[in-house]
C-alpha cells in the first residue's frame, strides 16, 4: 500500500492553486489561477510565472 493518507505536501489536481505572475510589459506582479490570464494593469497576455 502507498502512504496516501498523508496530508502534508498535498498537491491539488488541475493546477488550481493560485500562482504568482509577472507581466513582461509593465512588470506588474499579480496572482492568478488558470491558463488564460491577463495582466490586471495593462491587460497584456505577455506574462510569466515567477513562482
Ligand atoms: Zn502589464
Amino acid at each position: 500500500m502507498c502512504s496516501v493518507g498523508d496530508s502534508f505536501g498535498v498537491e491539488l489536481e488541475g493546477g488550481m492553486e493560485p500562482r504568482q505572475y509577472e507581466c513582461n510589459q509593465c512588470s506588474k506582479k499579480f496572482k492568478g489561477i488558470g491558463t488564460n490570464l491577463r495582466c490586471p494593469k495593462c491587460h497584456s497576455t505577455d506574462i510569466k510565472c515567477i513562482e
Side-chain angles (χ1 to χ4, degrees):
M1 294 289 274
C2 310
S3 55
V4 187
D6 244 330
S7 59
F8 291 104
V10 153
E11 288 183 34
L12 295 175
E13 281 186 46
M16 289 302 289
E17 72 263 55
R19 286 176 172 271
Q20 192 80 25
Y21 291 90
E22 181 176 346
C23 178
N24 288 321
Q25 299 299 314
C26 67
S27 298
K28 166 79 176 174
K29 291 180 177 131
F30 59 97
K31 285 198 168 184
I33 300 175
T35 51
N36 295 315
L37 294 171
R38 280 209 272 179
C39 171
K41 186 177 177 184
C42 69
H43 305 291
S44 170
T45 55
D46 187 11
I47 59 173
K48 65 186 173 190
C49 183
I50 58 172
E51 205 168 52

